Amino acid sequence: KLTEIDVGRKSSKTSMRTSTYGNNELTQLLSFDDGYDAFRDFLIQEFSSENLDFFENAEIFLADYQAEEDFDAREAAKDYKGLYETFVKPYSVSWVNLPGTVVEDFQAPLSKGKDLESSLKSGIVTAEELFRAAKAASNNIFGLMYTDAFRRFMKSKEYAAFAQGVNGAEFAALQANTQV
């Protein structure tokens, strides 16, 4: 469970979950600790590391609660609200750039009923609504990173340094195999 929003934390669960995004260069890169670190360093220099932070935390949220047999409404509500307050809420400290409709869908469960925990317990809000909103936001940010920052990263000195390492060679081999 997320005990608090853990900016910059890499989860092995998240590495496994990136497989839901297909076998592309970014998912392959993120599967290597040093590839992840190089990409994160690049994003920090570009002032956009909040995208990777949000992606990681949203994927941890999804992994933690979608697989849970006994859904814990209290914990899920706290973590979902933490994602919103930290990343989705306009002008938050680590605000990510999401389309208005995605933000509205993410906000919707928070505005139903007295509070999110009681709304989940009473059925006013379903766990599926939370998962759908978190997944849509995560998909959007992944797409943004893949089509924008990742393309620039591949031309950066951070990528060049990563490519010189052992995992860089393995990453290059993976890329060659997926492009055949």
Side-chain angles (χ1 to χ4, degrees):
K1 301 270 185 293
L2 295 169
T3 53
E4 60 184 68
I5 296 300
D6 191 359
V7 173
R9 172 175 88 163
K10 183 174 189 295
S11 165
S12 59
K13 286 182 188 176
T14 305
S15 293
M16 293 184 310
R17 287 193 49 82
T18 58
S19 65
T20 65
Y21 292 89
N23 187 22
N24 61 58
E25 301 99 329
L26 182 53
T27 59
Q28 291 168 356
L29 178 77
L30 295 175
S31 71
F32 297 102
D33 286 342
D34 53 344
Y36 173 93
D37 292 341
F39 187 58
R40 180 163 176 59
D41 290 345
F42 175 78
L43 291 176
I44 288 169
Q45 290 179 22
E46 289 219 329
F47 303 101
S48 63
S49 62
E50 68 278 356
N51 291 325
L52 187 57
D53 295 336
F54 172 76
F55 175 73
E56 286 290 325
N57 281 282
E59 291 298 307
I60 291 167
F61 173 82
L62 291 164
D64 284 352
Y65 295 109
Q66 282 185 314
E68 193 173 283
E69 288 181 24
D70 296 321
F71 181 78
D72 185 338
R74 189 177 122 267
E75 288 295 317
K78 181 177 73 91
D79 289 347
Y80 187 85
K81 188 173 181 185
L83 285 172
Y84 176 75
E85 294 289 331
T86 305
F87 299 105
V88 179
K89 184 178 180 180
Y91 307 106
S92 60
V93 175
S94 295
W95 186 23
V96 293
N97 186 14
L98 291 166
T101 55
V102 175
V103 172
E104 289 168 9
D105 290 347
F106 207 99
Q107 288 172 323
L110 296 166
S111 61
K112 294 179 181 177
K114 183 178 125 189
D115 61 63
L116 186 55
E117 180 184 349
S118 59
S119 294
L120 281 164
K121 288 180 178 178
S122 68
I124 294 172
V125 173
T126 66
E128 188 55 39
E129 286 178 79
L130 301 185
F131 302 147
R132 205 171 28 250
K135 189 64 178 170
S138 181
N139 286 345
N140 191 280
I141 292 300
F142 182 86
L144 179 67
M145 288 189 304
Y146 183 65
T147 59
D148 186 35
F150 179 69
R151 300 294 172 212
R152 288 190 309 279
F153 167 76
M154 294 295 285
K155 299 173 186 169
S156 72
K157 67 181 179 359
E158 290 80 13
Y159 174 73
F162 165 69
Q164 295 299 315
V166 173
N167 288 334
E170 188 176 341
F171 175 69
L174 279 172
Q175 284 189 296
N177 287 336
T178 54
Q179 293 174 0
V180 172

